Amino acid sequence: MSEKKASGGVVLIMAHRPSAITECEMLLVLDHGMVKAFGPRDEVLEQTVKNSRQIRSSSAEGKVGGVS
């Protein structure tokens, strides 16, 4: 994924796991097909996820799974 982004490509990821979005710059959150949130990853996490600080700190520490 890093190589694709570095060469100017776009990567689309559909995920439920926090570890899958560690390299994402932007997030789009859908709820029953409706846009719930869109924007920079950290801002979207702050708006939509109760444990967003734990997810960000875990991914910064390199933990697999996002939270422990």
Side-chain angles (χ1 to χ4, degrees), residues 11-67:
V11 179
L12 175 65
I13 299 173
M14 295 175 63
H16 291 274
R17 290 181 175 200
S19 62
I21 61 168
T22 57
E23 292 188 43
C24 294
E25 297 166 7
M26 302 288 285
L27 292 182
L28 169 65
V29 178
L30 299 174
D31 185 17
H32 292 79
M34 301 295 292
V35 175
K36 185 173 179 182
F38 176 71
R41 182 191 56 166
D42 291 343
E43 290 178 21
V44 170
L45 286 175
E46 193 69 38
Q47 292 172 11
T48 60
V49 181
K50 291 179 183 178
N51 61 342
S52 61
R53 289 187 190 133
Q54 185 179 7
I55 291 170
R56 284 197 309 269
S57 66
S58 295
S59 60
E61 295 170 8
K63 293 181 182 175
V64 176
V67 292

